[in-house]
Amino acid sequence: MTKWGRKLAAVDEEQLRQQLRTETDPKAIKRLTSALLYENGVSPAEIERLLGFPEQPVYDWLDTVAERGGLALGDRPHPGSSTRLTDEQWTELTATHRASPSEAGYDEPAWTPQLVRDHIADAFDVEYSLAHMYRVMKRAGLSYQTARPHHYKADPAQQREWRAAFKKSGRR
């Protein structure tokens, strides 16, 4: 790191201004604004006071501006983790899930996240978290079974009567 006031010695201030005029990435705008203030003699602590950006990230942004020469100041793309099922496996999985679980050899009435997870582990030797199975099922066009708190055909008046009788009996 360089001494305060000299971090952006190799960066052209006019280039920073020009880029700020056309920039749309919020993080790049913060970096450019901080860099321009810094170039005009405002310390990172003063930038924090003026704009509310914490001082340490301002130092980090200045380092980024200096490192990249004022260009491409937005966040660089972060590639996600690669899918663990191949295209062929995915096609096979969706074809299997279009049928009922019993046709795939499972003694279950419907595809549930746990059952889909178990099927993927058995068929393709790939492990996923249970939480990820909801995304897999959505992508495959499947819905999952959920318990309803009340039957959709239940009469609310009869339910209230039953609850009242149940409370009176002392069985809560």
Side-chain angles (χ1 to χ4, degrees):
M1 291 186 64
T2 58
K3 187 174 177 179
W4 182 81
R6 301 206 178 266
K7 282 184 173 292
L8 304 179
V11 177
D12 179 21
E13 185 177 346
E14 186 52 41
Q15 180 185 3
L16 294 177
R17 289 184 193 287
Q18 181 63 31
Q19 187 173 352
L20 183 59
R21 287 185 200 107
T22 59
E23 189 59 64
T24 58
D25 180 8
K27 194 161 216 174
I29 291 170
K30 288 178 182 180
R31 289 173 176 162
L32 288 164
T33 303
S34 297
L36 285 167
L37 286 170
Y38 182 83
E39 278 289 292
N40 287 298
V42 181
S43 72
E46 187 67 13
I47 292 171
E48 177 180 20
R49 193 187 68 68
L50 288 171
L51 303 177
F53 305 147
E55 186 176 352
Q56 185 55 54
V58 171
Y59 277 108
D60 296 340
W61 296 341
L62 294 172
D63 287 341
T64 300
V65 170
E67 174 187 307
R68 297 183 191 174
L71 299 173
L73 295 178
D75 279 343
R76 292 184 174 146
H78 301 282
S81 55
S82 61
T83 127
R84 290 184 253 168
L85 291 177
T86 66
D87 290 339
E88 295 81 25
Q89 289 172 330
W90 180 256
T91 303
E92 183 182 332
L93 177 70
T94 54
T96 302
H97 289 163
R98 283 193 188 100
S100 71
S102 60
E103 290 178 40
Y106 296 100
D107 189 26
E108 296 289 334
W111 290 106
T112 61
Q114 182 63 51
L115 185 58
V116 172
R117 181 178 184 220
D118 293 344
H119 175 73
I120 290 172
D122 292 342
F124 308 113
D125 198 30
V126 174
E127 294 288 330
Y128 286 115
S129 70
L130 188 57
H132 184 66
M133 289 303 93
Y134 291 93
R135 292 185 289 272
V136 167
M137 290 178 73
K138 183 177 181 178
R139 181 176 167 212
L142 296 171
S143 64
Y144 45 89
Q145 301 280 323
T146 58
R148 295 176 186 256
H150 304 289
H151 192 276
Y152 69 100
K153 290 185 179 177
D155 179 16
Q158 286 180 335
Q159 287 181 335
R160 282 192 296 278
E161 269 181 48
W162 183 86
R163 276 194 206 96
F166 189 72
K167 285 182 182 179
K168 285 180 185 176
S169 70
R171 289 194 257 165
R172 290 189 245 182

